[in-house]
Structure formats: structure tokens, C-alpha cells
Amino acid sequence: MKDTDSDDVMVYRLGSGCDLADIEEGNIYQGKVQGFANFGMFVQINDRIKGLVHKTNMKGEHKERDSILVRVRQVRPNGNIDLEEVIIQVYQVQNVERKSTTVRIADLSQKIGRTVAIEGEIAQIKQTSGPTIFTIVDETGTQNAAAFVEAGVRAYPEAEMGHMVKVIGEVMTRNGQLQIEVDALSVLTDDEAVEVKARIEKALDARAEPEDIPLLVKSDVMENLRPEMRKIAKIIRKAVFTSQPIILRHHADADGICSAVAIEQAVISLIKESGGDFDADYYLFKRAPSKAPFYEIEDITRDLDFALKDHIRFGQKMPLILLTDNGSTEEDEPAYKVASVYDIELVVIDHHHPDATIDKYVRAHVNPYHVGGDFGITAGMLGTEVARLINPGVEPIIRHLPAVAGVGDRSEAPERALFLSLISDQYSESDCKDIALALDYEQFWLRFNDGREIVKDILNITGNTERHKKLVRLLVDGANTMIEDQMNASMPHVVPRVLENEAHLFLLDVEIHAHKFTFPPPGKTSGEVHDRLCKQNAGKPVVTIGFGPDFAVLRSRGVLMNIPVMVRELRNEIPGGGISGGGHLVVGSIKFVEGMRDVVLEALIKKIADAPLQKYH
Ligand code: MN
């Protein structure tokens, strides 16, 4: 090397992260001979970029891997680079490092056909029979990147889920979806990873923050619940933005379905907006009804089983579990304990009387009892407000769900009327009643299935109002016929009693005086019996108990009971009763062992007889 001075020519050394965008025509680069063709030789400028020196532009004899200097004559529109060899003795070398800034995932649709770099976290790694699909999440969206080494062979095995990576590749469309064809994928070093992760976290946190929108109706209780509703909405939005699967478990009645469907609509549309696979809304979101009015061990066992298999088989993250119209009582605790072994995140939207014992298991819990309200603010009302916070765009298709839920759950809170008047131009109260009954009836036949699309028609979410009306009419007629049959069989066997507090108690053995394993099931049968008895005994306090061999269902009007507390007391007072249960204050159920039925029922009735009556004016 000779001495250098300020007039010397500049030669560039292209860093490994650089791509075509970093190449400038006219500049001289260090290169390495890669191979020969009869029309010239190929020269690599870095691991990913090579150009052609036509034989007319060659200055000497070379062999493979020789270092040479080349000037870029032209970068053609198709990405081919024309080079010429240069021979100079005196020059300065300057490194070119990733001048190409990384592209944000949200901007990729404008980069089709271009080679880009993205940085983000690996949210999923799926090995197909062809390429390995990495799902990358940055602060703006989700993108699949396909890396291929050999059919069915895992590409970049050093890159694992949760790693921060830089991906360089061409943006393509595949089956109408954007995809990056990976040229290079590198796991960021510790320092880089920390910096990128912090940047993405901060931006995601801001992006997950729900919009500040007013409630659909004026409600002090719900206003007080807004901070917690926002918290849940943010957790859910973040799960969507980071491709974390969501499992939504809900009570299998009209209220529970309304709350869950409202959130389902918000989440699904958000998943679609934020990119990813065309079927991401199916594998990243699952809605499942729980048969019991709580999260059973059976439920968590199924959820956990599927989550772990998806984790291993499809490289998915462990899910966020959201419970609605469910989840706030100590009956949920055994399931929560199972979830906590796997560090599964849980959030709850419920209006059952909450037990503080579950607080340590859940990250957030919206419940009117926490702010001085009660079950009259139903899960469907709360779920719809949370859904609007998750994605305000879905409001037009879900704004009638709180009214259906309020009617379905027999809410007596002032909010019921407010939600009904909100939609009175489209749905009457009796329409809402029909929809709620249709939901209950259809869920009976759906059993453990969510019936995503059928339920959308029942709730008139698909927009095919003609079909919605036909379907609801059919289901309501079917339900009413079966309820009528059941009442004809059951009502003559109701046994009345007047208690010491002058409450009118009615007992029905649903095991022998009702059709079994069909609609309406024992709980609803008891409810229908109760409704008829309330009409027959207008103005009087009425309690109805429908019992089977090892369970009883309670409904009451005008008697101030606290069923969860009564169940707990009975459990302590009757050893060997095998007692469990709960529910709302005045609507609930109790389980016991068959051999202790009479003892338990008599003790229960005694407690009802001690309960104060509601004052009528
Ligand atoms: Mn409910």
C-alpha cells in the first residue's frame, strides 16, 4: 500500500446486513469472484448480493474467490447489477452497514417485489412439509416469513420462539397474503435484542391502549368499571398484536353467549386487521361454552391439552384465557390452580358474586360487585363495552347484544331499559326475548360447540336479516313447544308449602316429573315453573326448588337470600353431605350426595324460611 491522501478514491465494503437498496450506482465496492460464465464473471459484493462483470469489462485473469474491486455501472429494474472491474492502487475503504433501514411490517404491502429487512420477535414457528414459517411481530403488525433449506427441514434452527430477529427477504404475495421469502434470518445479539425489544414493547404498549370512548349508555356502575374494562381490553389487544392465542370460555346461556360473541367479533376483526394468516382467526381465537356456570376442571383440562399440543406441534404461544359470565367464584379455583402450574394468564368478566380467593389467579377482573353494583349489570352488557374498547369498529353489529343479554338474564337494573331504548328502532323487547330464547335453545343442541356462524345468524350479526328472522322464529317455536310439553308434564306435580317467613315455596322433583336429557334441561325447567308460579302468586314472595337425585336448582322472588353463602354454611353444617354449588344471590344451584338429599333439602328450606323478605311498596 502506498501513502494515502484526501484525494484518494473511496472503496466501499458492503456489510452482511445490507441489501440492494444500499448499493449505489457509480460507487466502487470490494468483491469476491464467485464463478464464471462464457459472457463474464459473477462477483459477490456481500453474502447476498452479486453482480455480473461482462467479459468486455474484465481487466485481468481471475480465479474463484479472488478479491477484486468493481464499480456499479447500473442496477437494473429486475435487481440485476452490472459491474465493471477497476484497478486502483490508492484508496480508502469505508464500511457500509445496513444503510437500508428496516421496514415496519405495516408498510410491507407497499414493498411487494422488493427486498426488505424487518426486525421483530418470533411469535410462532411452524414447520411445514416445505418451508419453515416464522411469524414475526413488530410494533405495527404480524408477518409470516418463509425460510427454505430443504423440504420439511427446519430452517435457522438457532432461531427460537421469543427471539428477536432481523429478517431479510423479498416481499411476495402468496394466496393473496403477503409473505416474506427469507434470504437471511439472524438472531440479534444481546445488546441489539434488548434495544429492539424495548422499542417494540414500548410501541406495542401504546398501540394496545384502548381508545377513549364513552359508554353506550349512562351507568354509574359501569363508569366505575371503566378502568378495569380498559385493562382487560388492553391485555386482549396486546395478545392479538403479539399472536398470542386467546381462548374465550363463557357460560352457555344467552347472557354468556352475548358477552362472548361481542368480544369474539372485536377480536376476530382485530386479528384480520393486523395481518398474519388467512385462517389466523380460527387458530388464534377459540370460543367455547362451559356447561357448568363455572370454569370446570374438565374445561381447563381440555384447553390445556389443546394449548400444549398447539405449542409443540405448531409452535404457538401459550394462550390467554378469558372467562365471561363465569370465573369469579371459588368453584373456579381448582381449574385456576391447574392453569397456574403452566403460568397461563387469566382474565375475567363476570357478574356473579365474586369470592376474593380467586383474585390471586387472575390478571384482571371486571365485576359490578367490586364497585357496589350487582348482577343486574349482566356479562353481556360488560362484554359488549369491553368489545368496543378492543375494537370500536364493531359497535354497529354488537350494540343490541347488551339488551338481549339483559332480557335473557332477567336483569332488573336500570341499564336494561337504557340498552333496550338504545336499539328500540331495530329491536323490541319481545324481539330480544325471542333472540335470547333462541340462543338458549340452540346452545342446547350445540352442546359443547360454539356454533360460531349459526350464532351469528341468531344474533343478526351476518347482516342477513331475512334469514335471522326465519331462524329465530323457527327456534322460538321449537323451544316453546318443548317448554309447553315439559310444563304440562311437570306443573301438576309441584308441591306447595308456606314457610315461616310467609314465603311461598314450591318443590318439583324434576328427575321423575320432567323429561330428561332434552330441552328444557332441569335448570331451565325450574325457571319456567318458577315464572308460572310467580304469575299465579302475584305480589307474594315465591321460591321454587327443582331437584333431582343429587342436585337442586333455586329461583326466588322477593326473598333476600344469598345462595353462595347458604351453600357454604350447609357444607359446614352437614358433614357427609358432599355439598357444593353457588350461583347468583337469588338464582343458583346446589349439589350433594344422593343419600343425603332429604337432609340437605330440609336444611336448605329452613334457611330460606329464615331469610328476610323484600319490602314491597
Ligand atoms: Mn349472566
Side-chain angles (χ1 to χ4, degrees):
M1 292 279 270
K2 293 179 187 168
D3 290 341
T4 58
D5 64 51
S6 60
D7 290 321
D8 282 341
V9 187
M10 191 68 79
V11 167
Y12 297 93
R13 185 192 290 137
L14 200 65
S16 61
C18 297
D19 58 42
L20 204 57
D22 299 309
I23 298 276
E24 274 185 46
E25 290 180 3
N27 280 355
I28 299 171
Y29 294 89
Q30 291 185 337
K32 207 166 246 172
V33 176
Q34 191 212 25
F36 298 92
N38 18 0
F39 46 83
M41 66 177 171
F42 292 102
V43 174
Q44 280 198 286
I45 304 175
N46 71 4
D47 285 351
R48 305 177 39 245
I49 296 177
K50 67 176 176 185
L52 175 70
V53 182
H54 194 264
K55 58 185 176 192
T56 56
N57 292 319
M58 283 166 61
K59 298 273 168 70
E61 293 286 316
H62 295 289
K63 56 184 193 301
E64 272 181 37
R65 307 191 60 76
D66 274 359
S67 292
I68 65 165
L69 299 179
V70 288
R71 176 184 284 118
V72 174
R73 291 165 59 87
Q74 187 190 10
V75 178
R76 294 176 189 244
N78 65 1
N80 285 356
I81 306 170
D82 294 339
L83 304 171
E84 67 180 307
E85 184 178 0
V86 291
I87 297 176
I88 39 174
Q89 303 303 327
V90 182
Y91 55 86
Q92 289 186 41
V93 175
Q94 186 175 321
N95 289 322
V96 180
E97 281 305 332
R98 290 194 206 162
K99 209 166 72 196
S100 66
T101 48
T102 55
V103 173
R104 303 183 324 158
I105 285 174
D107 299 329
L108 286 176
S109 58
Q110 293 137 40
K111 308 278 180 192
I112 294 167
R114 304 251 308 266
T115 294
V116 299
I118 59 170
E119 283 177 336
E121 183 176 344
I122 299 179
Q124 191 184 334
I125 304 170
K126 190 175 173 183
Q127 183 58 54
T128 69
S129 55
T132 308
I133 309 288
F134 293 90
T135 302
I136 311 293
V137 169
D138 77 359
E139 63 270 45
T140 67
T142 302
Q143 182 58 49
N144 280 346
F148 186 80
V149 272
E150 206 178 304
V153 175
R154 168 75 143 82
Y156 304 102
E158 70 281 8
E160 290 169 16
M161 187 153 59
H163 275 159
M164 306 304 295
V165 292
K166 181 185 178 93
V167 176
I168 295 166
E170 189 183 340
V171 185
M172 332 243 296
T173 47
R174 215 182 154 78
N175 302 326
Q177 300 273 304
L178 281 185
Q179 183 173 292
I180 292 182
E181 207 98 324
V182 178
D183 288 330
L185 185 151
S186 48
V187 178
L188 299 183
T189 61
D190 287 351
D191 289 352
E192 286 174 318
V194 167
E195 188 201 314
V196 172
K197 197 179 175 77
R199 187 189 81 214
I200 290 179
E201 275 289 316
K202 195 172 164 228
L204 267 180
D205 203 67
R207 188 173 160 222
E209 195 64 50
E211 257 181 60
D212 198 11
I213 49 172
L215 297 169
L216 281 171
V217 300
K218 199 176 153 12
S219 161
D220 289 342
V221 175
M222 290 175 83
E223 202 57 57
N224 290 333
L225 285 172
R226 262 164 69 87
E228 197 71 3
M229 292 201 278
R230 290 180 63 85
K231 189 173 169 192
I232 287 193
K234 185 170 179 178
I235 291 169
I236 292 172
R237 283 172 61 84
K238 211 163 191 177
V240 170
F241 296 151
T242 57
S243 287
Q244 180 183 21
I246 297 171
I247 295 173
L248 172 45
R249 278 279 183 182
H250 61 91
H251 186 203
D253 71 352
D255 180 43
I257 295 168
C258 284
S259 78
V261 168
I263 291 172
E264 172 184 82
Q265 293 309 307
V267 169
I268 285 176
S269 54
L270 199 62
I271 289 174
K272 288 192 165 147
E273 283 168 25
S274 61
D277 286 341
F278 66 95
D279 61 346
D281 55 319
Y282 274 91
Y283 69 80
L284 289 181
F285 181 85
K286 284 192 188 82
R287 174 169 72 79
S290 292
K291 272 285 158 179
F294 58 90
Y295 194 37
E296 283 186 289
I297 293 191
E298 190 179 336
D299 298 331
I300 178 66
T301 305
R302 278 174 68 89
D303 293 343
L304 182 63
D305 181 34
F306 282 115
L308 289 169
K309 284 173 181 164
D310 286 348
H311 182 62
I312 298 299
R313 191 164 164 222
F314 301 119
Q316 285 189 15
K317 292 184 178 177
M318 288 300 276
L320 167 71
I321 295 180
L322 166 64
L323 299 156
T324 70
D325 202 14
N326 247 356
S328 61
T329 69
E330 60 174 25
E331 289 179 283
D332 302 282
E333 203 170 340
Y336 287 170
K337 283 186 175 156
V338 177
S340 68
V341 171
Y342 286 88
D343 293 323
I344 289 176
E345 288 180 292
L346 291 150
V347 290
V348 173
I349 300 171
D350 198 6
H351 67 143
H352 288 83
H353 198 268
D355 294 316
T357 48
I358 63 114
D359 291 351
K360 59 177 176 286
Y361 300 102
V362 300
R363 255 185 84 191
H365 180 183
V366 168
N367 194 310
Y369 285 98
H370 289 159
V371 297
D374 65 20
F375 62 94
I377 309 287
T378 75
M381 298 175 186
L382 299 167
T384 301
E385 291 295 359
V386 172
R388 291 174 64 239
L389 292 169
I390 294 168
N391 190 354
V394 295
E395 184 187 316
I397 56 169
I398 62 170
R399 70 205 303 263
H400 58 299
L401 303 194
V404 175
V407 171
D409 245 20
R410 298 145 194 267
S411 163
E412 288 172 11
E415 284 80 356
R416 168 189 165 131
L418 296 176
F419 279 116
L420 275 166
S421 72
L422 182 74
I423 47 132
S424 57
D425 56 331
Q426 275 179 293
Y427 303 92
S428 67
E429 179 161 359
S430 97
D431 290 337
C432 292
K433 218 176 207 163
D434 284 351
I435 295 173
L437 179 59
L439 284 175
D440 279 337
Y441 184 60
E442 189 67 357
Q443 188 61 60
F444 180 81
W445 303 114
L446 282 167
R447 294 174 56 83
F448 298 101
N449 298 321
D450 65 339
R452 188 189 280 190
E453 299 303 323
I454 302 172
V455 168
K456 270 159 72 178
D457 274 328
I458 296 173
L459 285 169
N460 200 16
I461 283 174
T462 39
N464 188 337
T465 303
E466 201 58 36
R467 188 165 61 198
H468 153 77
K469 282 188 173 156
K470 260 193 215 163
L471 183 59
V472 169
R473 179 51 39 216
L474 180 79
L475 293 172
V476 165
D477 288 347
N480 281 332
T481 304
M482 295 189 79
I483 290 169
E484 217 39 57
D485 280 355
Q486 188 80 304
M487 292 305 107
N488 290 338
S490 296
M491 287 301 286
H493 302 286
V494 170
V495 179
R497 257 204 237 182
V498 178
L499 302 180
E500 276 160 50
N501 58 358
E502 295 190 343
H504 292 251
L505 174 72
F506 296 96
L507 292 157
L508 173 67
D509 187 336
V510 291
E511 177 74 7
I512 54 173
H513 295 302
H515 298 292
K516 283 190 282 188
F517 311 119
T518 188
F519 187 87
K524 186 153 183 76
T525 298
S526 307
E528 290 292 334
V529 168
H530 178 69
D531 286 349
R532 282 163 171 74
L533 294 167
C534 282
K535 266 186 202 148
Q536 292 169 15
N537 296 274
K540 296 175 192 161
V542 173
V543 178
T544 307
I545 300 178
F547 60 89
D550 60 354
F551 69 90
V553 183
L554 275 85
R555 307 266 160 162
S556 69
R557 181 190 69 186
V559 183
L560 299 173
M561 309 195 296
N562 183 332
I563 294 174
V565 167
M566 286 179 4
V567 168
R568 232 165 290 166
E569 288 173 3
L570 289 172
R571 188 161 64 200
N572 294 330
E573 291 160 12
I574 307 177
I579 293 168
S580 67
H584 291 298
L585 296 182
V586 298
V587 182
S589 61
I590 175 168
K591 281 197 230 166
F592 36 79
V593 289
E594 196 171 339
M596 293 292 280
R597 181 176 81 179
D598 294 346
V599 177
V600 174
L601 282 183
E602 282 313 314
L604 174 66
I605 291 167
K606 200 166 171 303
K607 286 191 186 297
I608 297 170
D610 288 342
L613 301 184
Q614 199 174 328
K615 298 254 185 305
Y616 283 97
H617 302 285

